[in-house]
Amino acid sequence: MSQSGLREVEHEITVAAPAAAVYRLIAEVENWPRIFPPTIYVQREAQGENTERIHIWATANGEAKTWTSRRTLDPERLRITFRQEVSAPPVAAMGGTWIIEPASDTESRVRLLHDYRATDDDPAKLAWIDEAVDRNSRSELAALKENVEAAHAAEDLTFSFEDTIRVNGSAKDVFDFVNEAQAWPERLPHVATVRFEEPSPGLQELEMDTRAKDGSTHTTKSYRVTFPHERIAYKQVTLPALMTLHTGYWTFAEDDAGVAASSQHTVTINTANVARILGADATVEDAKKYVQGALSTNSRATLGHAKDYAEARA
């Protein structure tokens, strides 16, 4: 660390994929929640020629944080530089560079550089950032390697679906029902208990126990990002046995006829548990149908109760 309090660190990994393919994956921020474990949601807020401003919600050492960054993309040199525009304490400033270097036609070296400083140049805060950057960098690079190298298999195991209902009410009331998850045990029969926190406005931690048709309960934890009264995006971080990924969003589109309320899911099947959960003869397609059925049942139940709530208030 220099006398100015600036820390500079570097992490790297070798990926069995062409450098250009790795670059594209990093450049497409909308896929980050599916690629990088700490990332909850990313929204592109402004875009110019090879520059963009993005808003990121992610976890650091188990705490949900949010910040905005500006990025400069250099597809010819396979580099992406980034600088946090508004950092979240204890970070005072943060930036860095992704550098992708061809090792061969089928392999590349990915280097992730960071420079940062702590608020008040506090040593304890700097140690916290050191740990968060090291953990997230290792996690991001390992996930990047896994997802690039298994891209074809992941395509076969990953799928999305959406359920939509019409509501004769306002988007605000439907949004409020889904947003106020702390009230779900009283409002939703399939929700047994909820542990809900909102560490900062619009950023939520939601852990809940839900009841299955057979009477058993399952615990899941999600981070949610809310955009009143239009969208609630989420990433599930404690997953049922049949999934290795579950992201999604609720949307509330108001028009002259009322509201189109939708629940979208993106899921990756955990093949290691298919036989144990569904039987020795079960296939990935069986698992997809089972998971979609379970998630759609809960989503449509939630949307149905939200519809009743909003229409009663209309």
Side-chain angles (χ1 to χ4, degrees):
M1 185 172 65
S2 68
Q3 290 184 349
S4 67
L6 185 70
R7 180 87 86 201
E8 297 179 328
V9 297
E10 178 174 338
H11 296 78
E12 69 171 74
I13 201 166
T14 300
V15 178
V22 178
Y23 173 86
R24 285 194 300 271
L25 185 59
I26 299 171
E28 296 171 355
V29 296
E30 55 270 17
N31 290 321
W32 282 14
R34 298 168 57 182
I35 298 166
F36 299 132
T39 303
I40 302 167
Y41 188 69
V42 181
Q43 179 172 270
R44 185 179 283 110
E45 296 187 340
Q47 195 167 13
E49 186 176 356
N50 291 330
T51 63
E52 61 186 8
R53 182 176 186 265
I54 58 176
H55 196 153
I56 303 165
W57 291 263
T59 58
N61 292 344
E63 298 179 29
K65 300 285 185 179
T66 181
W67 64 90
T68 56
S69 291
R70 291 193 177 274
R71 303 204 309 169
T72 301
L73 290 80
D74 188 342
E76 293 186 1
R77 298 175 63 206
L78 302 181
R79 291 185 174 217
I80 301 171
T81 60
F82 57 90
R83 179 69 47 189
Q84 289 186 4
E85 189 176 67
V86 179
S87 298
V91 178
M94 174 84 72
T97 308
W98 289 92
I99 302 173
I100 301 94
E101 301 170 337
S104 68
D105 290 343
T106 59
E107 198 170 59
S108 56
R109 178 187 182 213
V110 179
R111 299 164 59 201
L112 177 55
L113 284 59
H114 282 98
D115 62 81
Y116 51 86
R117 58 184 300 151
T119 53
D120 305 319
D121 289 331
D122 184 314
K125 294 176 180 177
L126 185 62
W128 187 96
I129 302 169
D130 286 339
E131 182 181 351
V133 168
D134 185 64
R135 180 180 305 183
N136 280 4
S137 295
R138 293 178 187 277
S139 174
E140 287 181 7
L141 289 172
L144 180 73
K145 175 182 175 70
E146 178 181 355
N147 281 275
V148 171
E149 293 180 353
H152 179 69
E155 286 181 4
D156 294 337
L157 299 175
T158 301
F159 66 108
S160 301
F161 56 95
E162 186 170 6
D163 296 297
T164 301
I165 67 168
R166 296 291 310 185
V167 181
N168 294 319
S170 73
K172 178 185 182 303
D173 287 336
V174 186
F175 171 90
D176 286 347
F177 186 95
V178 179
N179 182 56
E180 296 166 359
Q182 69 272 24
W184 283 3
E186 293 77 42
R187 293 175 172 177
L188 296 174
H190 68 275
V191 176
T193 59
V194 162
R195 292 161 292 282
F196 178 87
E197 294 182 16
E198 193 162 13
S200 62
L203 180 57
Q204 303 174 347
E205 299 179 19
L206 171 62
E207 187 174 27
M208 63 181 179
D209 301 325
T210 56
R211 299 184 184 91
K213 292 179 180 179
D214 61 7
S216 62
T217 59
H218 304 272
T219 301
T220 58
K221 180 177 180 179
S222 300
Y223 290 99
R224 307 202 307 178
V225 181
T226 68
F227 303 91
H229 300 100
E230 299 173 355
R231 174 183 290 247
I232 297 175
Y234 64 87
K235 181 176 185 177
Q236 205 171 68
V237 293
T238 302
L239 293 159
L242 280 176
M243 291 182 268
T244 60
L245 169 81
H246 180 200
T247 64
Y249 50 82
W250 306 83
T251 56
F252 316 95
E254 192 166 315
D255 55 32
D256 293 340
V259 179
S262 300
S263 173
Q264 189 272 359
H265 301 268
T266 295
V267 172
T268 299
I269 296 297
N270 185 351
T271 55
N273 290 330
V274 171
R276 178 173 67 85
I277 301 296
L278 299 181
D281 296 331
T283 65
V284 168
E285 291 305 313
D286 293 331
K288 288 182 178 180
K289 291 178 182 177
Y290 180 90
V291 168
Q292 180 170 347
L295 292 177
S296 280
T297 295
N298 286 349
S299 291
R300 294 191 70 84
T302 301
L303 289 171
H305 285 280
K307 172 184 171 75
D308 293 341
Y309 174 87
E311 292 182 347
R313 296 171 66 88

